[in-house]
C-alpha cells in the first residue's frame, strides 16, 4: 500500500524507515549531516516548493514534504484501522 506524502508523490508504506518532523529533528547536527550526505548523493527529493514540515526516509531516498509528520502518522493509522494490517 502507498501513502501520499505531498505533491505528486506517494511512497510504498513497506519502504518507509522513518517519518521525521523537520523542526524538531533538524536542530541535531547528526540529522543535518545525514541530510547533507543524502543531498550530496542525489538522494533527496523535494515533493513541492512549499515550506518543508517533515521528511520521509526510505531505504533509498529522503523525501522532503510540506505534510506534517503528525498528518502522515494519521494517514498510516487510518489505513491500518481500515485494513487490519500494519505493513
Amino acid at each position: 500500500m502507498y501513502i501520499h506524502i505531498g505533491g505528486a508523490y506517494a511512497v510504498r508504506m513497506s519502504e518507509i524507515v522513518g517519518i521525521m518532523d523537520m523542526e524538531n529533528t533538524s536542530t541535531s547536527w547528526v540529522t543535518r549531516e545525514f541530510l547533507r550526505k543524502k543531498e550530496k548523493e542525489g538522494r533527496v527529493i523535494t515533493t513541492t516548493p512549499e515550506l518543508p514540515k517533515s521528511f520521509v526516509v526510505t531505504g533509498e531516498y529522503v523525501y522532503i514534504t510540506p505534510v506534517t509528520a503528525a498528518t502522515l502518522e494519521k494517514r498510516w493509522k487510518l489505513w491500518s484501522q481500515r485494513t487490519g494490517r500494519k505493513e
Side-chain angles (χ1 to χ4, degrees):
M1 190 63 181
Y2 291 85
I3 186 170
H4 180 255
I5 60 169
Y9 290 88
V11 176
R12 184 180 293 273
M13 292 170 72
S14 62
E15 293 178 3
I16 295 176
V17 176
I19 299 172
M20 313 298 175
D21 178 76
M22 186 67 78
E23 188 174 321
N24 292 329
T25 59
S26 62
T27 58
S28 165
W29 69 269
V30 174
T31 304
R32 288 193 311 271
E33 185 60 31
F34 170 77
L35 292 172
R36 214 179 340 261
K37 179 182 175 191
K38 291 297 183 184
E39 181 76 45
K40 189 175 182 180
E41 293 172 358
R43 302 222 177 254
V44 174
I45 298 171
T46 302
T47 62
T48 70
E50 296 175 48
L51 182 67
K53 294 184 181 154
S54 66
F55 59 97
V56 177
V57 180
T58 67
E60 194 169 348
Y61 293 100
V62 175
Y63 296 88
I64 308 294
T65 175
V67 181
T68 66
T71 297
L72 293 171
E73 180 183 8
K74 286 177 190 175
R75 290 177 185 175
W76 189 298
K77 285 181 179 180
L78 181 61
W79 177 83
S80 296
Q81 289 172 350
R82 287 183 180 170
T83 63
R85 295 168 45 192
K86 294 189 180 187
E87 195 166 319

